[in-house]
Amino acid sequence: MDFELTAEQVLLRRTAREFAEGEVAPVIARYEEAEEFPAELIQKLASLGFLGCLVPPEYGGAGLDYISYAVVVEELCRVNGSIGITMWAHNSLCSGHLYLFGTPAQRERYLPPLARGEVLGAWALTEPGAGSDTAELVLEGVRVPKANLLGERGQGFRDSKRVLEGGRIAMAAMGVGLAQGALDLALRYAKERHAFGQPLAGFQGLRGMLADLATEVEAARLLTLRAAYGKDRGRPVMREASMAKVFASEVAVRCATKAVQVHGGYGYTREFPVERFYRDAKLCEIGEGTSEVQRMVIARSILEAR
């Protein structure tokens, strides 16, 4: 088993990290305080090819494998979850659905502008009486032309499950990124903050907590990459994706909670970025199927396995 990234994947990770740290981190707080969509940052993502990660080159995309894709999502979310989820929802849910089930004409029409970032994709799944999203989409008197039917009529739920399989890998990668980002902030603060004549990192109880978090982050990363590996090989990975998603989501919440605790009173003020991780991490337990839903998927899979 080879646990090393390829040279191309290492370069891709470096590119994503440099963008997140150099372009996103210095300005994202300003956008959030103003409640302004970071359109300029999204266009920069497009210029790097990150809005066409899963779109094949013949439609103007990068045609990345899922391991590479998960690496990019993790690096973006390690700095900011909102940038990361905007990128991966556009890729996994919108472009991914069009590529998997679109007709040749639909692919030719929609995928190139999506891959170039000329338009931003979204995906409507949740219905009023079920689901986990609090956004509203109202359709009144809408008639859909036959040319715009995506996939076979009556097979929307089946197709959506295929899309969610890849989306949950991306959500798991987001959880890993948020967890790593929160842990990084906790480690930095524990080294800088002094109490009783020594850095916080000198206290044995805190060291043990940080060690546990680092171990859980690494386990979440490996689960995510295993699901991505299977996806790249064309295997059904619904169970693996759900395992990665539920575990990484809950690790992200634990890391963010403990990171706030390490920061003490500063942890829940906007003077320190750790409070944003605390807010963003909770979404991972809700979106793309709640943790409860993931456990239902996993239980059904293992109980029905031969």
Side-chain angles (χ1 to χ4, degrees):
M1 298 177 69
D2 187 358
F3 289 94
E4 295 296 325
L5 297 177
T6 65
E8 292 80 6
Q9 289 164 345
V10 170
L11 177 60
L12 198 62
R13 181 176 63 185
R14 183 183 308 126
T15 301
R17 180 172 298 184
E18 289 175 353
F19 169 76
E21 293 179 345
E23 301 283 347
V24 178
V27 300
I28 195 61
R30 172 171 57 82
Y31 283 104
E32 294 197 349
E33 288 171 8
E35 297 185 352
E36 177 185 350
F37 183 74
E40 293 181 8
L41 294 177
I42 300 304
Q43 282 305 305
K44 290 180 179 179
L45 272 179
S47 69
L48 292 171
F50 289 160
L51 294 188
C53 283
L54 299 179
V55 176
E58 58 264 34
Y59 296 110
L64 297 184
D65 58 85
Y66 262 83
I67 289 179
S68 299
Y69 178 48
V71 166
V72 172
V73 173
E74 177 186 337
E75 288 300 327
L76 295 178
C77 293
R78 192 175 66 87
V79 171
N80 184 261
S82 63
I83 294 293
I85 196 171
T86 299
M87 171 269 197
W88 74 250
H90 169 95
N91 277 286
S92 288
L93 304 182
C94 181
S95 299
H97 199 150
L98 281 162
Y99 178 66
L100 283 173
F101 302 107
T103 64
Q106 288 170 339
R107 292 177 178 179
E108 289 285 352
R109 178 178 179 182
Y110 295 110
L111 288 179
L114 284 165
R116 292 192 296 265
E118 295 170 4
V119 293
L120 195 59
W123 197 61
L125 172 70
T126 295
E127 297 184 0
S132 55
D133 293 337
T134 57
E136 186 177 31
L137 179 65
V138 179
L139 304 175
E140 294 181 351
V142 174
R143 294 183 64 85
V144 179
K146 186 176 181 179
N148 287 3
L149 177 64
L150 184 57
E152 298 178 26
R153 186 172 183 177
Q155 297 299 320
F157 181 62
R158 181 202 65 183
D159 295 351
S160 294
K161 288 195 294 184
R162 282 276 309 279
V163 175
L164 286 170
E165 186 181 81
R168 285 170 182 166
I169 294 173
M171 180 65 95
M174 178 179 178
V176 174
L178 288 170
Q180 186 65 64
L183 178 59
D184 290 345
L185 292 174
L187 290 169
R188 184 185 311 158
Y189 190 78
K191 293 176 182 177
E192 295 173 352
R193 178 76 165 89
H194 283 65
F196 304 102
Q198 64 174 325
L200 294 181
F203 292 95
Q204 188 174 19
L206 184 62
R207 294 168 73 94
M209 181 187 76
L210 294 173
D212 287 344
L213 294 179
T215 302
E216 291 189 4
V217 172
E218 193 62 31
R221 181 176 291 115
L222 290 172
L223 275 174
T224 301
L225 293 177
R226 185 185 72 155
Y229 177 87
K231 184 75 170 174
D232 284 335
R233 274 143 190 81
R235 303 174 189 163
V237 292
M238 183 62 77
R239 177 172 64 183
E240 290 81 0
S242 289
M243 286 178 169
K245 194 270 185 187
V246 70
F247 188 77
S249 297
E250 295 182 357
V251 168
V253 171
R254 282 195 292 274
C255 282
T257 301
K258 295 298 185 182
V260 168
Q261 190 73 14
V262 169
H263 283 73
Y266 290 122
Y268 59 90
T269 69
R270 291 197 171 184
E271 296 178 44
F272 288 78
V274 69
E275 60 86 25
R276 186 175 66 242
F277 284 85
Y278 191 62
R279 288 185 282 118
D280 289 350
K282 188 60 185 176
L283 172 65
C284 295
E285 292 186 323
I286 300 172
E288 282 284 326
T290 63
S291 292
E292 291 78 11
V293 168
Q294 304 310 317
R295 288 185 167 89
M296 290 169 56
V297 172
I298 296 165
R300 186 187 310 121
S301 174
I302 60 177
L303 289 170
E304 294 177 358
R306 294 181 178 178

